[in-house]
Amino acid sequence: MVNSASRTPSFFLLPLFLVLFSHPDPAFAHGPLRGKLLDVPHQIYYGFPGFSASQGLDRSVHARGQVYYLNEFRGYAFDPDEESLDEEGRFTDPDRARELTAMDFEALVLDGTLSFPFGRAHRMGISLRFYSYYGGFLDSAIEGFHSAFNLPNASREYFPQGKTAVSIDNDRGLAIELEGPGILPGDMEIFGIWTFSETRRTVWGLAWALELPTGKKGTPGGNGHADLGAQLLFEHLLGESLVLHLQQGFVVPGELIFGAGGEAKPLLISQSLAGLEWLWSDAWSLLGQIRIHTAPLTSRAPLNHSLFPGPDQFEMPVTALQTGFRRSYDSWSLEVYLEQDFLTHEGPDILLSVAADWKIGSRN
């Protein structure tokens, strides 16, 4: 009789072999989770949203609508023992609280995109978004959640709730201010995707973008200059149902291109993405990915961070972990994801994105 223990390796190796070395139909290109990083110092410059490498091969016109909800708080470093606090431990002087607030808001962001095929393997499109900033109705819930699980509250427990303010203190000459609730137009984006290589299991693409300064300079809506970006896209099918997404891009802020920024001297921005997409069925995809964007500025305000005590505020890269799903229908798809910066805490405290994509016309 064969020893059952000797059959165990074969039992596990056979499915692994089938997954890694099968040769399914390569029509796998759903793409990574697609959305903008909405961290205030970053969003005034162009950010690649997570294009699919194979979008240049899609022959449909696409209309996409996307809504983001996010809640964010960040304060500058201070010593609570030297401040005047009330019985709840919050600032009694509203001017002092405002002085120490880097950003405190809740926001809804509406994004619209229209794209169309161009040539045999190209796609071009245009995007525009609007930002709505207001006092956070979930401030209490988020603060309570962090306290319940002994997580850092980023000093939000010392500040009044329901406020709306942004004031980015930095040494790159970039003015980013918001003094109260309001609706801001963002910059307009013109982009292109070229699928330059496609094999049975791998797709390569190149994306480019030009961001036009339709947003108001000095606000979270824009930097007042045109930005340029280029990004390499890679997708590889691992077995029958797992897709690897890798992307690397660079964005050159408009102040560096045109030399018209005055004292503003932002940094060249690196934007990276690595993710996995599980094709659960023809209709469902589950996705997880991390996006790393380096900072466009350096700060003169010390960062109070337990893991990274050395750098200054806003100087660390965004390390956004995004998890979500995509549901595909005949002519449209629904995509939902959550985002949180789990490592450097440079991104929003919480972000939820819901997007719908409509296909108009044939893909043939």
Side-chain angles (χ1 to χ4, degrees):
M1 188 172 79
V2 178
N3 190 317
S4 60
S6 66
R7 293 163 47 186
T8 302
S10 300
F11 177 79
F12 288 105
L13 288 176
L14 180 58
L16 179 63
F17 179 86
L18 293 175
V19 167
L20 293 180
F21 299 103
S22 58
H23 295 281
D25 188 333
F28 59 86
H30 296 285
L33 291 168
R34 183 168 163 184
K36 306 289 287 188
L37 286 191
L38 296 177
D39 179 63
V40 169
H42 292 256
Q43 74 184 28
I44 67 170
Y45 296 105
Y46 180 75
F48 284 99
F51 292 124
S52 170
S54 65
Q55 281 191 325
L57 302 174
D58 191 332
R59 298 296 86 193
S60 305
V61 174
H62 281 234
R64 182 180 179 88
Q66 190 160 5
V67 177
Y68 306 84
Y69 159 81
L70 60 150
N71 186 292
E72 173 70 298
F73 176 87
R74 227 178 302 176
Y76 294 114
F78 64 94
D79 186 349
D81 294 334
E82 298 179 359
E83 304 294 340
S84 177
L85 307 177
D86 62 18
E87 61 276 6
E88 295 182 357
R90 302 183 188 273
F91 283 101
T92 57
D93 183 355
D95 292 334
R96 180 60 174 162
R98 179 64 186 88
E99 178 186 348
L100 292 172
T101 300
M103 53 180 100
D104 184 1
F105 59 79
E106 211 161 79
L108 285 174
V109 182
L110 177 62
D111 188 305
T113 301
L114 182 66
S115 66
F116 52 90
F118 182 79
R120 192 183 68 84
H122 294 76
R123 171 168 293 273
M124 292 187 65
I126 186 169
S127 294
L128 183 62
R129 74 189 52 83
F130 290 89
Y131 305 93
S132 174
Y133 291 98
Y134 54 93
F137 76 93
L138 282 184
D139 281 357
S140 297
I142 292 177
E143 185 177 320
F145 174 82
H146 285 95
S147 299
F149 291 93
N150 200 27
L151 300 172
N153 250 313
S155 75
R156 68 160 66 223
E157 66 271 25
Y158 295 101
F159 290 77
Q161 296 179 345
K163 300 297 182 181
T164 308
V166 175
S167 180
I168 306 302
D169 187 16
N170 65 90
D171 57 9
R172 307 302 296 187
L174 303 174
I176 311 174
E177 303 284 341
L178 183 67
E179 292 298 331
I183 297 176
L184 300 174
D187 288 339
M188 180 182 294
E189 303 167 1
I190 300 173
F191 63 86
I193 303 164
W194 172 36
T195 304
F196 62 83
S197 176
E198 182 196 24
T199 66
R200 189 169 182 81
R201 307 182 69 81
T202 301
V203 181
W204 291 86
L206 183 67
W208 59 266
L210 169 65
E211 185 172 73
L212 302 177
T214 55
K216 184 179 180 181
K217 183 179 180 180
T219 74
N223 67 340
H225 302 282
D227 307 327
L228 290 176
Q231 186 178 49
L232 185 65
L233 314 172
F234 173 79
E235 293 172 359
H236 182 69
L237 184 62
L238 302 170
E240 296 182 345
S241 58
L242 201 62
V243 182
L244 172 67
H245 299 286
L246 297 175
Q247 302 183 359
Q248 177 59 52
F250 294 93
V251 171
V252 184
E255 296 95 324
L256 300 181
I257 301 171
F258 303 106
E263 296 182 356
K265 301 297 180 185
L267 303 172
L268 181 71
I269 304 167
S270 170
Q271 301 183 355
S272 307
L273 181 150
L276 289 174
E277 177 183 7
W278 178 34
L279 306 174
W280 184 13
S281 69
D282 292 340
W284 289 91
S285 297
L286 301 180
L287 303 101
Q289 62 194 39
I290 182 172
R291 299 177 63 178
I292 302 175
H293 289 201
T294 61
L297 53 82
T298 53
S299 173
R300 51 175 174 251
L303 175 66
N304 184 17
H305 196 296
S306 58
L307 296 178
F308 306 102
D312 287 337
Q313 190 86 263
F314 311 114
E315 192 174 336
M316 296 290 290
V318 170
T319 53
L321 179 65
Q322 300 172 325
T323 55
F325 69 88
R326 183 182 295 113
R327 173 67 165 93
S328 300
Y329 299 87
D330 291 338
S331 60
W332 67 285
S333 63
L334 176 69
E335 181 182 281
V336 179
Y337 71 82
L338 286 170
E339 172 188 311
Q340 188 171 42
D341 188 327
F342 69 103
L343 185 60
T344 62
H345 305 160
E346 288 290 339
D349 289 341
I350 190 66
L351 180 146
L352 170 67
S353 168
V354 180
D357 190 293
W358 288 269
K359 297 178 182 179
I360 307 169
S362 173
R363 298 188 63 185
N364 298 326

